[in-house]
Amino acid sequence: MSDLTPRSAPAPAPARGASTLKGAGGGLRGTSAVWDDNRYAAVQQRLKDLAATMDAISDSLLHSAKRMKQNSEEAASTAAAIARADLDGAFVELTEETSSALVTAHKAMKKAARSSQSLAEKAHRAQTLHQRMYQPLDQVRSGRRHRTPKPGFFNR
């Protein structure tokens, strides 16, 4: 009879340069100055961090999905071995149900990985669009000797 032993595989490292999102604060707005900083560079960094984090999550989910599939195949072969050994049918049934549950988990993890990858791509596009729209303005404002009014100052 084969032994099912868990194999420990390290989770993929976060993307290079990615940091944890600071200031998430459980969804409360205004809990951190990091989220209140809407300067060009700060928004660019947050978008880059979001994209890198979602890329890392997607990679981790794909890795977990792969392990789920391998474990489901192992459980199916174990169920077949139990059946060949003429053991109680309840054990065969439980092992087959385990294999089926692992296949379902595999599909759900792949779907979650696709969703996180989609969000990462959207974050990359948003960062690029933000850069295209606001980088020239940021360069003009940064190159001036004197301070300039904040956006919306003249909208009174």
Side-chain angles (χ1 to χ4, degrees), residues 66-93:
K66 179 181 173 184
R67 290 293 301 140
M68 290 285 179
K69 185 175 182 182
Q70 291 171 344
N71 287 341
S72 73
E73 292 167 355
E74 250 181 81
S77 68
T78 301
I82 291 172
R84 283 192 307 273
D86 290 329
L87 294 177
D88 190 356
F91 296 116
V92 175
E93 188 177 327

Short mmCIF file of all heavy atoms in Angstrom, two decimals, residues 66-93:
data_model
loop_
_atom_site.label_atom_id
_atom_site.label_comp_id
_atom_site.label_asym_id
_atom_site.label_seq_id
_atom_site.Cartn_x
_atom_site.Cartn_y
_atom_site.Cartn_z
N LYS A 66 -1.72 23.12 -9.39
CA LYS A 66 -0.92 22.00 -9.91
C LYS A 66 -0.79 20.90 -8.85
O LYS A 66 -0.95 19.71 -9.14
CB LYS A 66 0.46 22.50 -10.35
CG LYS A 66 1.37 21.44 -10.89
CD LYS A 66 2.72 22.04 -11.27
CE LYS A 66 3.70 20.95 -11.67
NZ LYS A 66 5.02 21.50 -11.94
N ARG A 67 -0.52 21.31 -7.61
CA ARG A 67 -0.40 20.33 -6.52
C ARG A 67 -1.74 19.63 -6.25
O ARG A 67 -1.78 18.44 -5.98
CB ARG A 67 0.10 21.01 -5.24
CG ARG A 67 1.54 21.45 -5.29
CD ARG A 67 2.53 20.30 -5.36
NE ARG A 67 2.36 19.45 -4.20
CZ ARG A 67 2.41 18.12 -4.24
NH1 ARG A 67 2.64 17.49 -5.37
NH2 ARG A 67 2.24 17.42 -3.15
N MET A 68 -2.83 20.37 -6.35
CA MET A 68 -4.16 19.77 -6.16
C MET A 68 -4.41 18.69 -7.21
O MET A 68 -4.94 17.62 -6.92
CB MET A 68 -5.27 20.82 -6.26
CG MET A 68 -5.32 21.77 -5.12
SD MET A 68 -6.01 20.97 -3.68
CE MET A 68 -5.92 22.29 -2.52
N LYS A 69 -4.04 18.98 -8.45
CA LYS A 69 -4.23 18.00 -9.52
C LYS A 69 -3.38 16.77 -9.27
O LYS A 69 -3.86 15.63 -9.42
CB LYS A 69 -3.89 18.63 -10.87
CG LYS A 69 -4.19 17.73 -12.04
CD LYS A 69 -3.96 18.40 -13.35
CE LYS A 69 -4.33 17.44 -14.49
NZ LYS A 69 -4.08 18.04 -15.78
N GLN A 70 -2.13 16.96 -8.88
CA GLN A 70 -1.26 15.82 -8.59
C GLN A 70 -1.82 15.00 -7.43
O GLN A 70 -1.83 13.76 -7.49
CB GLN A 70 0.15 16.31 -8.24
CG GLN A 70 0.90 16.90 -9.42
CD GLN A 70 2.20 17.56 -9.01
OE1 GLN A 70 2.43 17.86 -7.83
NE2 GLN A 70 3.05 17.84 -9.98
N ASN A 71 -2.30 15.69 -6.40
CA ASN A 71 -2.86 14.97 -5.25
C ASN A 71 -4.14 14.22 -5.63
O ASN A 71 -4.38 13.12 -5.12
CB ASN A 71 -3.13 15.94 -4.09
CG ASN A 71 -1.86 16.41 -3.42
OD1 ASN A 71 -0.81 15.79 -3.55
ND2 ASN A 71 -1.95 17.52 -2.72
N SER A 72 -4.95 14.79 -6.51
CA SER A 72 -6.18 14.09 -6.92
C SER A 72 -5.84 12.84 -7.72
O SER A 72 -6.49 11.80 -7.57
CB SER A 72 -7.08 15.01 -7.74
OG SER A 72 -6.56 15.23 -9.03
N GLU A 73 -4.80 12.94 -8.56
CA GLU A 73 -4.37 11.75 -9.32
C GLU A 73 -3.83 10.68 -8.38
O GLU A 73 -4.08 9.49 -8.57
CB GLU A 73 -3.34 12.15 -10.36
CG GLU A 73 -3.91 13.00 -11.48
CD GLU A 73 -2.87 13.65 -12.36
OE1 GLU A 73 -1.65 13.54 -12.06
OE2 GLU A 73 -3.27 14.30 -13.35
N GLU A 74 -3.08 11.11 -7.38
CA GLU A 74 -2.57 10.16 -6.39
C GLU A 74 -3.70 9.50 -5.61
O GLU A 74 -3.68 8.30 -5.36
CB GLU A 74 -1.64 10.89 -5.40
CG GLU A 74 -0.18 10.51 -5.56
CD GLU A 74 0.69 11.24 -4.54
OE1 GLU A 74 0.74 10.78 -3.37
OE2 GLU A 74 1.29 12.24 -4.93
N ALA A 75 -4.71 10.28 -5.25
CA ALA A 75 -5.85 9.73 -4.52
C ALA A 75 -6.62 8.75 -5.39
O ALA A 75 -7.08 7.70 -4.90
CB ALA A 75 -6.76 10.85 -4.04
N ALA A 76 -6.76 9.04 -6.67
CA ALA A 76 -7.47 8.13 -7.58
C ALA A 76 -6.72 6.82 -7.72
O ALA A 76 -7.33 5.73 -7.70
CB ALA A 76 -7.66 8.79 -8.95
N SER A 77 -5.39 6.90 -7.84
CA SER A 77 -4.62 5.66 -7.95
C SER A 77 -4.63 4.89 -6.63
O SER A 77 -4.64 3.65 -6.63
CB SER A 77 -3.18 5.94 -8.40
OG SER A 77 -2.47 6.63 -7.41
N THR A 78 -4.69 5.60 -5.52
CA THR A 78 -4.80 4.93 -4.21
C THR A 78 -6.15 4.23 -4.09
O THR A 78 -6.23 3.11 -3.57
CB THR A 78 -4.62 5.95 -3.07
OG1 THR A 78 -3.34 6.57 -3.20
CG2 THR A 78 -4.71 5.28 -1.72
N ALA A 79 -7.20 4.86 -4.57
CA ALA A 79 -8.53 4.24 -4.55
C ALA A 79 -8.53 2.96 -5.37
O ALA A 79 -9.11 1.95 -4.96
CB ALA A 79 -9.57 5.22 -5.06
N ALA A 80 -7.88 3.02 -6.54
CA ALA A 80 -7.79 1.81 -7.38
C ALA A 80 -7.00 0.72 -6.68
O ALA A 80 -7.37 -0.46 -6.73
CB ALA A 80 -7.16 2.17 -8.72
N ALA A 81 -5.92 1.10 -6.00
CA ALA A 81 -5.12 0.11 -5.27
C ALA A 81 -5.91 -0.50 -4.11
O ALA A 81 -5.82 -1.71 -3.86
CB ALA A 81 -3.84 0.77 -4.74
N ILE A 82 -6.71 0.31 -3.44
CA ILE A 82 -7.55 -0.19 -2.34
C ILE A 82 -8.59 -1.17 -2.90
O ILE A 82 -8.85 -2.22 -2.29
CB ILE A 82 -8.23 0.98 -1.59
CG1 ILE A 82 -7.18 1.79 -0.83
CG2 ILE A 82 -9.31 0.48 -0.64
CD1 ILE A 82 -7.73 3.08 -0.23
N ALA A 83 -9.16 -0.83 -4.05
CA ALA A 83 -10.16 -1.72 -4.66
C ALA A 83 -9.53 -3.04 -5.08
O ALA A 83 -10.13 -4.11 -4.88
CB ALA A 83 -10.80 -1.03 -5.86
N ARG A 84 -8.32 -3.01 -5.66
CA ARG A 84 -7.62 -4.24 -6.06
C ARG A 84 -7.26 -5.10 -4.86
O ARG A 84 -7.17 -6.32 -4.97
CB ARG A 84 -6.36 -3.89 -6.85
CG ARG A 84 -6.62 -3.48 -8.27
CD ARG A 84 -5.33 -3.43 -9.10
NE ARG A 84 -4.28 -2.61 -8.49
CZ ARG A 84 -4.14 -1.30 -8.66
NH1 ARG A 84 -4.98 -0.65 -9.42
NH2 ARG A 84 -3.16 -0.65 -8.07
N ALA A 85 -7.04 -4.45 -3.73
CA ALA A 85 -6.66 -5.19 -2.51
C ALA A 85 -7.87 -5.80 -1.81
O ALA A 85 -7.72 -6.41 -0.75
CB ALA A 85 -5.90 -4.27 -1.56
N ASP A 86 -9.06 -5.63 -2.38
CA ASP A 86 -10.31 -6.17 -1.80
C ASP A 86 -10.55 -5.68 -0.39
O ASP A 86 -11.02 -6.44 0.47
CB ASP A 86 -10.32 -7.70 -1.85
CG ASP A 86 -10.47 -8.22 -3.26
OD1 ASP A 86 -11.12 -7.52 -4.07
OD2 ASP A 86 -9.94 -9.31 -3.56
N LEU A 87 -10.27 -4.41 -0.14
CA LEU A 87 -10.58 -3.83 1.16
C LEU A 87 -12.04 -3.38 1.15
O LEU A 87 -12.73 -3.44 0.14
CB LEU A 87 -9.66 -2.65 1.46
CG LEU A 87 -8.18 -2.99 1.64
CD1 LEU A 87 -7.37 -1.73 1.86
CD2 LEU A 87 -7.99 -3.94 2.82
N ASP A 88 -12.48 -2.91 2.28
CA ASP A 88 -13.87 -2.47 2.42
C ASP A 88 -14.18 -1.39 1.37
O ASP A 88 -13.41 -0.46 1.17
CB ASP A 88 -14.07 -1.92 3.83
CG ASP A 88 -15.53 -1.66 4.17
OD1 ASP A 88 -16.39 -1.82 3.27
OD2 ASP A 88 -15.80 -1.29 5.32
N GLY A 89 -15.34 -1.51 0.72
CA GLY A 89 -15.76 -0.57 -0.31
C GLY A 89 -15.90 0.85 0.19
O GLY A 89 -15.81 1.80 -0.59
N ALA A 90 -16.15 1.01 1.49
CA ALA A 90 -16.29 2.36 2.05
C ALA A 90 -15.00 3.15 1.90
O ALA A 90 -15.03 4.36 1.63
CB ALA A 90 -16.68 2.27 3.53
N PHE A 91 -13.86 2.46 2.04
CA PHE A 91 -12.58 3.15 1.90
C PHE A 91 -12.33 3.57 0.45
O PHE A 91 -11.81 4.66 0.20
CB PHE A 91 -11.44 2.27 2.40
CG PHE A 91 -11.51 1.98 3.87
CD1 PHE A 91 -11.69 0.68 4.32
CD2 PHE A 91 -11.42 3.00 4.80
CE1 PHE A 91 -11.76 0.41 5.68
CE2 PHE A 91 -11.49 2.74 6.15
CZ PHE A 91 -11.67 1.44 6.59
N VAL A 92 -12.74 2.70 -0.48
CA VAL A 92 -12.61 3.04 -1.90
C VAL A 92 -13.46 4.27 -2.21
O VAL A 92 -13.00 5.22 -2.85
CB VAL A 92 -13.03 1.85 -2.79
CG1 VAL A 92 -12.99 2.25 -4.26
CG2 VAL A 92 -12.14 0.65 -2.55
N GLU A 93 -14.69 4.26 -1.72
CA GLU A 93 -15.61 5.37 -1.96
C GLU A 93 -15.09 6.68 -1.36
O GLU A 93 -15.11 7.73 -2.02
CB GLU A 93 -16.98 5.04 -1.38
CG GLU A 93 -18.05 6.04 -1.73
CD GLU A 93 -19.41 5.64 -1.19
OE1 GLU A 93 -19.70 4.44 -1.11
OE2 GLU A 93 -20.16 6.58 -0.84
#
